[in-house]
């Protein structure tokens, strides 16, 4: 039996831009997000951050949000400093307004190297957002590659960054997805 999702929360928040206001990120600035706790390496935060560095070379005004908490967070905050992308990355911690956060994104990302049936993919699709997901677990059951999002190999920041850049540079395709 697959996971279920109450769609009403996502339908109510589609026009809510409070996250952008909170961060001072104006409409039109690309916003890419990852919702995953910092408890396990398998969530692939390191690959998301590597992709962010690549994306900023082609889309320099892009911003990135990471939602979640856990013991690995300080390590990834250090990675952000090492990559010199601190001004473009926001660590939001634990949030109870995930539907609102996702509705503010231009691209939602699942960067896991191992995964079951991801709730964040369902949540992103419920919010009408294109997904870039690693081709692990149930991702390939939910994302039709090139139609509803992109599937990329796990642990591959270059491929992930390329897929995200493609969506950011082709907003009509992103909307269609």
């Amino acid at each position: 039996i697959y996971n279920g999702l109450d769609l009403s929360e996502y339908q109510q928040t589609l026009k809510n831009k409070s996250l952008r206001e909170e961060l001072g990120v104006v409409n039109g600035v690309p916003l890419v997000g990852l919702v995953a706790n910092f408890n396990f390496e398998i969530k692939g935060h390191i690959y998301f951050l590597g992709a962010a560095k690549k994306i900023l070379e082609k889309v320099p005004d892009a911003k990135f949000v990471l939602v979640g908490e856990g013991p690995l967070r300080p390590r990834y905050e250090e990675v952000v400093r090492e990559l010199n992308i601190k001004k473009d990355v926001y660590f939001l911690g634990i949030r109870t307004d995930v539907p609102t956060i996702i509705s503010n994104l231009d691209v939602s990302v699942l960067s896991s190297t191992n995964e079951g049936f991801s709730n964040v993919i369902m949540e992103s699709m419920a919010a009408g957002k294109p997904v870039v997901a690693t081709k692990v677990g149930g991702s390939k059951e939910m994302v039709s590659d090139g139609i509803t999002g992109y599937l990329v190999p796990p642990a591959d920041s270059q491929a992930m960054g390329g897929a995200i850049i493609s969506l950011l540079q082709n907003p009509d395709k992103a909307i269609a997805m």
Side-chain angles (χ1 to χ4, degrees):
I1 299 172
Y2 291 107
N3 303 348
L5 182 65
D6 180 359
L7 298 177
S8 64
E9 292 183 63
Y10 296 87
Q11 294 163 348
Q12 294 169 6
T13 61
L14 290 178
K15 297 191 186 317
N16 183 331
K17 298 301 177 195
S18 61
L19 177 68
R20 286 180 174 274
E21 292 168 7
E22 175 187 329
L23 301 176
V25 176
V26 297
N27 286 339
V29 170
L31 191 58
V32 180
L34 172 66
V35 179
N37 281 318
F38 294 90
N39 295 326
F40 305 103
E41 299 278 344
I42 62 171
K43 290 299 182 177
H45 294 91
I46 193 77
Y47 306 110
F48 176 78
L49 295 173
K53 179 74 172 175
K54 175 184 171 60
I55 292 161
L56 287 165
E57 293 169 6
K58 299 280 186 184
V59 187
D61 62 335
K63 302 294 180 196
F64 304 87
V65 296
L66 293 102
V67 178
E69 196 56 73
L72 297 175
R73 178 176 165 172
R75 175 175 172 227
Y76 295 119
E77 290 174 330
E78 181 59 31
V79 168
V80 165
R81 287 188 289 278
E82 289 169 2
L83 292 173
N84 198 28
I85 59 174
K86 187 173 178 5
K87 70 178 181 54
D88 301 308
V89 177
Y90 302 89
F91 288 85
L92 303 183
I94 294 175
R95 299 288 292 247
T96 58
D97 59 344
V98 171
T100 298
I101 290 170
I102 292 173
S103 75
N104 280 256
L105 300 177
D106 293 294
V107 179
S108 181
V109 178
L110 177 86
S111 57
S112 300
T113 57
N114 189 6
E115 189 70 52
F117 198 80
S118 168
N119 284 344
V120 78
I121 291 176
M122 288 190 304
E123 292 167 334
S124 300
M125 290 178 161
K129 300 301 173 176
V131 175
V132 172
T134 49
K135 193 173 182 178
V136 296
S139 299
K140 52 193 170 289
E141 292 181 62
M142 291 185 277
V143 178
S144 296
D145 192 34
I147 299 169
T148 60
Y150 289 118
L151 293 170
V152 297
D156 188 340
S157 295
Q158 293 296 319
M160 182 182 298
I164 296 167
I165 289 167
S166 174
L167 289 170
L168 295 178
Q169 291 181 337
N170 298 290
D172 290 341
K173 184 169 184 79
I175 289 168
M177 288 182 168

